[in-house]
Amino acid sequence: MAEDSPKRRKANFNEAETEVLIEQVLKHEQLLFAAGPGRASAGQKRKVWELIRHKVNPVAACPRDVEDLKKRWRDLKRRDRSKLCRLSQGCGPPAPPALGLLLAPEELPPAAAPP
């Protein structure tokens, strides 16, 4: 009977998982996302993502794989950049405090920049 049951989706990322993911990706950002001749090989990047997975899974609601983490990171970047775009056009609510975690200070709108 278990074969007939539909595949259940994983639980949403909780706050602790998201915080650890952001912290670890920012810590290894240069290695993961650098461009140019000095960039890391695919194997090195895979090892870093595995390291991040081992840091996230102890606080995770359910086991996460590397693809889950990469997708969550892309979604976080996309969501915060779209909020930043709306803010720079003068519409939308004020910037959330966590926006500064994903964007460099020069990318923040003047109202959202830390004092």
Side-chain angles (χ1 to χ4, degrees), residues 36-107:
R39 71 176 181 243
S41 70
Q44 290 171 318
K45 290 180 184 182
R46 188 173 40 253
K47 286 179 184 177
V48 172
W49 279 110
E50 283 294 328
L51 172 73
I52 294 171
R53 183 178 67 87
H54 287 294
K55 300 276 185 165
V56 170
N57 275 340
V59 297
C62 63
R64 304 291 183 184
D65 57 26
V66 170
E67 290 307 313
D68 295 333
L69 300 176
K70 287 180 178 181
K71 181 179 184 320
R72 178 65 174 163
W73 178 251
R74 284 190 306 266
D75 290 348
L76 286 168
K77 284 192 325 182
R78 180 182 43 79
R79 185 186 67 203
D80 284 346
R81 287 203 175 127
S82 68
K83 285 181 184 178
L84 178 62
C85 180
R86 285 195 311 267
L87 289 173
S88 67
Q89 294 171 356
C91 57
L99 184 62
L101 292 174
L102 296 178
L103 300 174
E106 61 272 6
E107 293 178 308

Side-chain angles (χ1 to χ4, degrees), residues 23-38:
E23 174 188 313
Q24 291 299 311
V25 170
L26 292 178
K27 180 178 176 182
H28 300 286
E29 183 176 27
Q30 185 65 32
L31 188 64
L32 292 171
F33 306 116

